Amino acid sequence: MVDWDFRPASVSDVAAVAELRAVVLRADLERLGRYDEERVRQRLRDGFEPAHTWVIEVDGAFAGCVALRRAKDAHWLEHFYLAPHLQGSGIGSGVLRELLERCDRNGVPVRLNVLRGSPARRLYERHGFTLETEDPVDVFMVRKPERPRSRPARNR
């Protein structure tokens, strides 16, 4: 697995994140007949909240991003994009595992939506997400918090 790290996002990251979103989602949006060169970037710019977003870095360079936004009854996993040349390297699983462990400690479910037919759905299913609802474009998934694994009692 490639070494990666998080850092809090800032307003100055929006252009890089919007560009990565356009690259990563293009094939799925084209397949669904929904790709629009400007709209794909503008939707990110309109919904970008640095306070809920982390930039993923590999060797100190921008490699992706992920957001975890609190809602009334859950956290929403959003804007989870990883540079195409790094997909399949274990970074996505590592990032997801770390965020889900945080949510599990707080007993909070996590929700997300993924484009219908996206290979990313398999990643989410491997990490315990299940289908909640779907429409012609989006699949909405939820993951209930896992109980922390109990540690065996120590012999004294």
Side-chain angles (χ1 to χ4, degrees):
M1 183 168 100
V2 176
D3 286 334
W4 57 273
D5 202 3
F6 280 137
R7 70 165 170 81
S10 70
V11 173
S12 65
D13 292 310
V14 71
V17 173
E19 189 58 35
L20 180 59
R21 180 180 197 268
V23 169
V24 170
L25 295 185
R26 184 175 190 140
D28 285 331
L29 289 171
E30 284 178 341
R31 180 179 41 76
L32 294 167
R34 311 274 298 189
Y35 186 77
D36 176 302
E37 184 116 0
E38 180 54 31
R39 186 170 183 247
V40 70
R41 291 169 176 86
Q42 190 60 47
R43 286 193 66 187
L44 183 282
R45 289 189 290 263
D46 290 345
F48 187 70
E49 294 182 39
H52 306 293
T53 307
W54 294 272
V55 167
I56 302 163
E57 294 183 332
V58 173
D59 295 327
F62 177 84
C65 68
V66 64
L68 193 63
R69 179 179 52 85
R70 288 183 185 221
K72 185 176 160 181
D73 64 341
H75 281 57
W76 277 88
L77 184 73
E78 300 173 319
H79 308 304
F80 191 9
Y81 311 118
L82 190 60
H85 72 281
L86 295 169
Q87 293 175 9
S89 67
I91 295 171
S93 287
V95 168
L96 193 53
R97 189 170 29 258
E98 186 166 322
L99 292 176
L100 293 174
E101 285 172 3
R102 293 178 190 182
C103 293
D104 287 347
R105 283 192 296 271
N106 296 321
V108 179
V110 179
R111 288 193 160 81
L112 60 81
N113 69 292
V114 62
L115 291 171
R116 186 183 281 256
S118 171
R121 181 175 176 174
R122 291 190 303 274
L123 169 69
Y124 300 133
E125 289 172 338
R126 283 194 310 270
H127 287 272
F129 284 87
T130 59
L131 175 69
E132 196 166 34
T133 62
E134 59 187 312
D135 63 31
V137 175
D138 292 304
V139 175
F140 294 87
M141 303 180 81
V142 64
R143 179 186 175 276
K144 296 192 183 336
E146 292 184 359
R147 291 191 176 112
R149 291 181 171 81
S150 59
R151 295 183 180 172
R154 287 189 195 183
N155 292 334
R156 293 184 181 221

